[in-house]
Amino acid sequence: MRDYIAARKSGASAAAQQIKAEVIARFETRTTDGAELVELGRVIERFHLGEDL
């Protein structure tokens, strides 16, 4: 998630979207247990709420 947070903070939305897509792909192909996706969802929510990460 550090890379996603760094991308969002720097304004690199394409990089953030790529990271998000990779996390979702790993979940969809069952190469992860979903914990990474849950963590990403929490980070995205915090950005939407305007919290400083």
Side-chain angles (χ1 to χ4, degrees):
M1 290 310 105
R2 285 179 274 162
D3 292 339
Y4 179 83
I5 293 168
R8 287 290 305 258
K9 284 185 173 184
S10 72
S13 57
Q17 288 298 327
Q18 179 64 32
I19 293 166
K20 182 178 169 181
E22 291 171 3
V23 170
I24 291 169
R26 282 193 291 276
F27 175 73
E28 289 176 343
T29 59
R30 306 294 190 254
T31 55
T32 181
D33 65 358
E36 184 181 30
L37 186 61
V38 170
E39 184 179 357
L40 177 63
R42 289 180 179 146
V43 168
I44 291 170
E45 180 181 4
R46 290 177 69 186
F47 268 105
H48 285 294
L49 293 173
E51 293 182 23
D52 186 31
L53 299 175

